[in-house]
Amino acid sequence: MALTVLTVDDSRTMRDMLKHSLVAAGFRVLQAEDGLDGLEVLKTEKPDVVVTDINMPRLDGFGFIEAVRSDAERRTMPVLVLTTEADPDKKSRAKAAGATGWIVKPFDPVKLVDAIRRVAA
């Protein structure tokens, strides 16, 4: 059965690039436009892995990760951060919030797919 990945990013272009790369790798892809939208998707879906941006309107990636981790059912769900940010403080903050890993944009589709498969195992 195909792994399901939820992508959370406010950029339509980035969501399209992620969907193209992940569908080509055989994943089922769910999409959300920001953290609040991502939490709505999680009410009805149980993805194997979440890939989220940090800088988004309404609810940023930090708040989204914290909300996911506060839900007992989703506490162990892998959450990868995919962002243009390279700031060590933000990386530490994401890890403290519960992020499983950190990938800097622009992403290499092969490395992203490998990372998703690793954390989903």
Side-chain angles (χ1 to χ4, degrees), residues 3 22 24-27 49 80 110 112-121:
L3 288 176
L22 298 176
F27 297 130
V49 179
L80 294 173
V110 173
L112 178 63
V113 166
D114 286 347
I116 289 169
R117 287 198 171 116
R118 257 196 323 274
V119 299

Side-chain angles (χ1 to χ4, degrees), residues 34-88:
D34 61 30
L36 286 180
D37 193 25
L39 294 176
E40 283 299 311
V41 171
L42 290 175
K43 289 180 180 177
T44 58
E45 295 278 354
K46 294 190 188 292
D48 299 291
V49 179
V50 176
V51 177
T52 185
D53 189 14
I54 289 294
N55 300 311
M56 299 180 288
R58 300 197 311 155
L59 181 63
D60 68 11
F62 299 119
F64 173 73
I65 295 166
E66 288 165 358
V68 168
R69 292 297 179 232
S70 70
D71 179 347
E73 255 184 66
R74 296 187 172 78
R75 199 159 285 143
T76 61
M77 180 184 296
V79 178
L80 294 173
V81 173
L82 179 65
T83 182
T84 56
E85 296 286 346
D87 180 1

Side-chain angles (χ1 to χ4, degrees), residues 83-91 102 104:
T83 182
T84 56
E85 296 286 346
D87 180 1
D89 291 340
K90 290 196 174 176
K91 200 170 180 177
W102 183 277
V104 177

